Amino acid sequence: MAQRSAPSTIVDVAKAAGVSVATVSRALRGMDRVSPSTRERVRRVADELSYLASPTATSLASGQTRIIGVVVPFASRWYFASMMSAIAKAMRDRGYQVLLFDVEPEPCGGRLELTRSMLWKRVDGVISINVAMTEGELELLRGVHVPVVSIGYDLPDRSSVGIDDYAAARTATDHVLDLGHREVAYIGAALEPNELVETPRERRRAFTEAIEKRGLPLRDEWILATDWTPQHAHDLTVDLMRSASPRPTAIVCASDEIAMGTCLALTELGLGVPEDVSVVGIDDHTMAGLFSLTTVRQDFVAQGEQAAALLLESIAAQERSAFQPQRVVIDTELIVRGSTAPPRRQDSDGSG
Amino acid sequence: MAQRSAPSTIVDVAKAAGVSVATVSRALRGMDRVSPSTRERVRRVADELSYLASPTATSLASGQTRIIGVVVPFASRWYFASMMSAIAKAMRDRGYQVLLFDVEPEPCGGRLELTRSMLWKRVDGVISINVAMTEGELELLRGVHVPVVSIGYDLPDRSSVGIDDYAAARTATDHVLDLGHREVAYIGAALEPNELVETPRERRRAFTEAIEKRGLPLRDEWILATDWTPQHAHDLTVDLMRSASPRPTAIVCASDEIAMGTCLALTELGLGVPEDVSVVGIDDHTMAGLFSLTTVRQDFVAQGEQAAALLLESIAAQERSAFQPQRVVIDTELIVRGSTAPPRRQDSDGSG
DNA sequence: GGCCGGTGTCTAAGCGCTTGCATAGAGGCG
DNA sequence: CGCCTCTATGCAAGCGCTTAGACACCGGCC
């Protein structure tokens, strides 16, 4: 007589357990005001009927979807994919699922903007990874009362997690400086027009300040800006090494992908890494080991965890309307591999 | 008097337009049995109230979530991230959102299995990218009546899209063979225990058959299997080139990531690509150009589009309970870059 | 003029939960 | 022994939509 076809609802469980649906709901969700024996019985019956609360019904009634959105500018790029994956895992552990908002720009035209229909009553919160939110989007998010935490940059009145970009780039630069390099170039990222995104600026500032701190000359033509792609970095490196005289003996890269492009370019030009040129990156990319790349590692898992935690806090706080934004900074770590070494002894030193 | 705070519901629109909620629902969803004038009025009122149907309520009432799940074994790897991104875009164009099911194996233990709670009443369908479904999962999917389309492999009684793995690998192999290479190695992927996943097997078979077709000897020790990572490919390449005698003059790789690992290894060993060894891959990875990699390109956008289309068909067909699985094969294309060239003239040819 | 088939619209019954409030017992207390 | 306080449970009103079926109205037809 048991209906194997139709999945059982809370009503079935209530009937089978001889209680009201309200009690079933309470019992199964671990709320108080349910006697231990009733709870146990309800649980057993629910199990037997392999009852599972309908998420859509639950959402409608409770107003919560247990889904969060993750906004990324380029879902297929390594950094974003890695971060997304880390977030998805952290969220899964907390009982949430992740909706993908890939706002990658179409060939023509700017990136996709978040809309009310993507968010409203759809997600309990949003994690935005390094995407410069427009003023309109920020207002939208405020309007639909969706908490946000940002990764990699800060949003007004929102929690955020990220690494210390300045410190990471400073560590990378100081590393080659400590090895004795004095002719050091920097390949970074183009500065974003959006003021909120500080990574390109901060990393570059760290580089220039590290150079200046040692009293070394700062050459503008040795500070290059990419679109973060290895290809672009490759091309810039070729130009740089062809035209510069003297040539830099070390190149600090704002990311490992940039560094990989640079390494490939150097090899192509017949320059040895690190014999002729040292290269250091930031990230600890999956392929960094392959390139023997010295780098400053950032921890995706930790960032995903923190972002998840902060978002849930924001959600909870919103309900109590008692929200205090927080900033969490995750440590980075210098990983020394084979792409950096002291500069080759110069026959001409210039000094004296 | 207008409540800017509370978002308007269908009831508000109905009142303001002087019709019943049923009419609003019909009018807004473009159903028939609504007079043009009424429809127009309802539309205008809805606009004015900036009404948006609550997705949770709609889902509860209609039984559809307009969300699909994408199952990937490693969300952060390039292939999966690219495919996911393509799917997300194709689905977005069709009014669906994408829920991420990253089933990446934990350090210890197998991969995460899909559960009823991840699927039931949550997604209208699932696209599974190259993940070997267990028998339990297949049954689960059947049980919850969630249509599935698979990418990169076939599932019994379900639609699928993919490239012709055999043809792709055959093209790659024939390419180096046509260039005159006779000492050719293959670095592929370990064969999956799951019978459904044929990519590793098919690509390898294409290689061996191409070799045999030309009457060339097949050396087992020149057929290597990786876990798809460049690092593994790198290590295998180093071993191969150190131990083999004679050495292969060309290496066919089952993917571009493998090919990149191989190229890096060769460079490290002081071997030129393509002067000493030609390398060909499959995929046309974002970084393939950087490595000047000759490769067989596969089109992610087309695959994502097709998968989306097939899934929507499956969903529609399921409602009419008239489903016919389909298999769509997307063409691949040889992209010749600089990593392949005729073999260097051998002083010893061995022949006669 | 009565009958009929369309249209356009409404009524109301769900969809399957959550939750505020009412209530029935069970003790504890004076 | 009556009264009050708690605790465990039930009742029922939502949550905001979809949709089957009822119904009114209209013109056309014999």
Side-chain angles (χ1 to χ4, degrees):
Chain A
M1 223 41 158
Q3 316 300 130
R4 198 97 293 284
S5 52
S8 40
T9 72
I10 198 173
V11 176
D12 302 328
V13 178
K15 275 180 191 153
V19 295
S20 69
V21 293
T23 301
V24 175
S25 176
R26 291 203 186 91
L28 259 22
R29 286 180 307 138
M31 300 182 66
D32 58 356
R33 313 213 124 208
V34 175
S35 75
S37 67
T38 304
R39 191 189 302 277
E40 189 42 47
R41 181 158 37 94
V42 170
R43 281 221 178 100
R44 205 172 44 246
V45 170
D47 250 34
E48 275 162 17
L49 298 180
S50 55
Y51 166 75
L52 200 61
S54 153
T56 54
T58 304
S59 295
L60 180 57
S62 71
Q64 300 212 141
T65 59
R66 298 235 130 205
I67 292 178
I68 65 130
V70 172
V71 186
V72 291
F74 301 94
S76 62
R77 289 198 190 169
W78 175 81
Y79 170 86
F80 297 103
S82 303
M83 197 66 95
M84 232 167 50
S85 172
I87 292 171
K89 268 174 218 146
M91 277 304 185
R92 186 213 292 153
D93 294 343
R94 292 167 168 79
Y96 279 73
Q97 292 193 306
V98 165
L99 210 49
L100 176 56
F101 294 147
D102 186 354
V103 296
E104 178 161 354
E106 302 296 322
C108 49
R111 66 156 241 262
L112 188 78
E113 285 222 7
L114 297 182
T115 61
R116 199 151 68 98
S117 73
M118 298 169 74
L119 301 169
W120 184 65
K121 296 260 182 184
R122 251 179 216 289
V123 294
D124 291 346
V126 162
I127 295 180
S128 140
I129 312 178
N130 253 300
V131 340
M133 293 280 191
T134 65
E135 193 41 61
E137 285 173 322
L138 292 177
E139 200 181 312
L140 171 66
L141 285 161
R142 249 174 270 127
V144 295
H145 295 107
V146 170
V148 185
V149 355
S150 58
I151 297 186
Y153 70 115
D154 290 345
L155 243 29
D157 289 323
R158 307 281 190 183
S159 292
S160 70
V161 2
I163 60 170
D164 182 334
D165 284 306
Y166 182 91
R170 184 72 191 249
T171 301
T173 310
D174 282 339
H175 169 67
V176 293
L177 256 18
D178 288 345
L179 285 171
H181 292 274
R182 337 213 74 217
E183 323 281 328
V184 185
Y186 175 74
I187 306 189
L191 270 34
E192 301 255 352
N194 189 308
E195 293 237 321
L196 297 172
V197 178
E198 297 201 318
T199 298
R201 203 182 338 269
E202 284 297 287
R203 293 194 186 173
R204 196 181 68 178
R205 185 168 69 87
F207 172 78
T208 58
E209 291 189 10
I211 297 291
E212 283 171 342
K213 180 81 181 285
R214 312 258 173 155
L216 298 173
L218 207 54
R219 314 182 200 229
D220 280 351
E221 67 278 18
W222 283 15
I223 297 184
L224 277 18
T226 66
D227 60 4
W228 290 112
T229 64
Q231 184 66 57
H232 197 177
H234 167 276
D235 298 348
L236 289 180
T237 304
V238 170
D239 288 352
L240 172 68
M241 298 312 280
R242 284 224 175 105
S243 63
S245 163
R247 284 164 159 179
T249 61
I251 303 181
V252 175
C253 299
S255 82
D256 282 359
E257 291 200 319
I258 290 175
M260 290 190 275
T262 293
C263 286
L264 253 11
L266 293 170
T267 307
E268 231 175 274
L269 293 169
L271 295 166
V273 177
E275 304 80 30
D276 299 307
V277 183
S278 282
V279 176
V280 57
I282 293 179
D283 278 346
D284 199 24
H285 189 285
T286 320
M287 286 174 66
L290 250 191
F291 281 80
S292 272
L293 200 58
T294 294
T295 191
V296 178
R297 153 189 266 158
Q298 65 170 312
D299 186 338
F300 290 100
V301 173
Q303 290 182 73
E305 275 293 327
Q306 286 296 336
L310 287 182
L311 187 58
L312 294 201
E313 272 180 44
S314 304
I315 293 172
Q318 164 182 284
E319 278 159 18
R320 312 189 306 271
S321 58
F323 177 64
Q324 282 295 11
Q326 295 175 58
R327 314 231 161 286
V328 173
V329 175
I330 304 289
D331 285 341
T332 53
E333 178 194 5
L334 180 70
I335 310 278
V336 179
R337 294 202 182 89
S339 68
T340 48
R344 167 173 297 183
R345 283 237 151 163
Q346 306 283 325
D347 19 311
S348 68
D349 189 22
S351 73
Chain B
M1 223 48 158
Q3 316 301 129
R4 197 98 288 288
S5 51
S8 40
T9 73
I10 198 172
V11 176
D12 302 327
V13 177
K15 276 183 190 151
V19 296
S20 72
V21 294
T23 301
V24 174
S25 177
R26 290 221 177 74
L28 258 23
R29 284 181 308 137
M31 300 182 68
D32 59 355
R33 312 211 124 212
V34 175
S35 75
S37 66
T38 305
R39 191 188 303 276
E40 190 41 47
R41 181 157 37 96
V42 170
R43 281 220 178 102
R44 207 175 39 247
V45 170
D47 251 35
E48 275 162 19
L49 298 180
S50 54
Y51 167 74
L52 201 61
S54 153
T56 53
T58 303
S59 295
L60 213 216
S62 72
Q64 301 212 140
T65 59
R66 299 235 128 205
I67 292 178
I68 66 132
V70 172
V71 186
V72 291
F74 302 94
S76 61
R77 289 198 191 170
W78 175 81
Y79 169 88
F80 298 103
S82 303
M83 198 67 95
M84 233 169 48
S85 172
I87 292 170
K89 269 174 216 146
M91 276 305 185
R92 186 213 292 155
D93 293 343
R94 291 167 169 80
Y96 279 73
Q97 294 193 305
V98 166
L99 210 48
L100 175 57
F101 293 146
D102 187 355
V103 296
E104 178 160 355
E106 302 294 323
C108 51
R111 68 155 238 264
L112 188 76
E113 286 223 7
L114 297 182
T115 61
R116 198 150 68 96
S117 72
M118 298 169 74
L119 301 169
W120 184 66
K121 296 263 183 180
R122 248 176 219 288
V123 294
D124 292 346
V126 161
I127 295 180
S128 139
I129 311 179
N130 254 299
V131 339
M133 292 281 191
T134 65
E135 194 41 61
E137 285 173 321
L138 292 177
E139 200 180 312
L140 170 65
L141 285 162
R142 248 175 271 127
V144 294
H145 296 106
V146 171
V148 185
V149 355
S150 58
I151 296 187
Y153 71 113
D154 291 344
L155 244 28
D157 288 323
R158 322 228 82 143
S159 293
S160 70
V161 1
I163 60 171
D164 182 335
D165 283 307
Y166 182 91
R170 184 71 190 250
T171 301
T173 310
D174 281 340
H175 169 67
V176 294
L177 255 18
D178 288 345
L179 285 172
H181 291 273
R182 338 216 72 219
E183 324 280 330
V184 185
Y186 176 75
I187 305 187
L191 270 35
E192 300 256 351
N194 188 308
E195 293 236 323
L196 297 172
V197 177
E198 296 201 316
T199 298
R201 205 183 337 269
E202 283 298 286
R203 294 194 185 174
R204 196 181 67 178
R205 187 168 67 87
F207 172 79
T208 59
E209 291 189 10
I211 297 291
E212 283 171 343
K213 179 79 180 288
R214 313 258 173 155
L216 298 174
L218 207 54
R219 316 181 196 227
D220 280 351
E221 67 279 19
W222 283 14
I223 298 184
L224 276 18
T226 66
D227 60 4
W228 290 110
T229 63
Q231 183 67 57
H232 197 177
H234 168 277
D235 298 348
L236 288 180
T237 303
V238 169
D239 288 351
L240 173 68
M241 298 311 281
R242 283 225 175 103
S243 63
S245 162
R247 283 164 159 180
T249 63
I251 303 180
V252 175
C253 299
S255 82
D256 282 359
E257 291 199 320
I258 290 175
M260 291 191 275
T262 294
C263 285
L264 254 10
L266 292 171
T267 306
E268 231 176 274
L269 293 169
L271 295 166
V273 177
E275 303 81 31
D276 299 307
V277 183
S278 283
V279 175
V280 57
I282 293 179
D283 278 346
D284 198 24
H285 189 285
T286 319
M287 284 174 68
L290 248 192
F291 280 80
S292 270
L293 198 59
T294 294
T295 190
V296 178
R297 153 190 265 158
Q298 66 169 310
D299 187 338
F300 290 101
V301 173
Q303 290 182 73
E305 275 293 327
Q306 286 296 336
L310 288 181
L311 187 58
L312 294 202
E313 272 180 45
S314 305
I315 293 171
Q318 163 182 284
E319 278 159 18
R320 313 188 306 270
S321 58
F323 177 65
Q324 284 294 12
Q326 296 174 58
R327 313 232 162 286
V328 173
V329 176
I330 303 290
D331 286 341
T332 53
E333 177 194 6
L334 179 70
I335 309 279
V336 179
R337 294 203 183 87
S339 69
T340 49
R344 166 174 298 187
R345 285 237 150 160
Q346 307 283 323
D347 21 309
S348 67
D349 188 22
S351 74

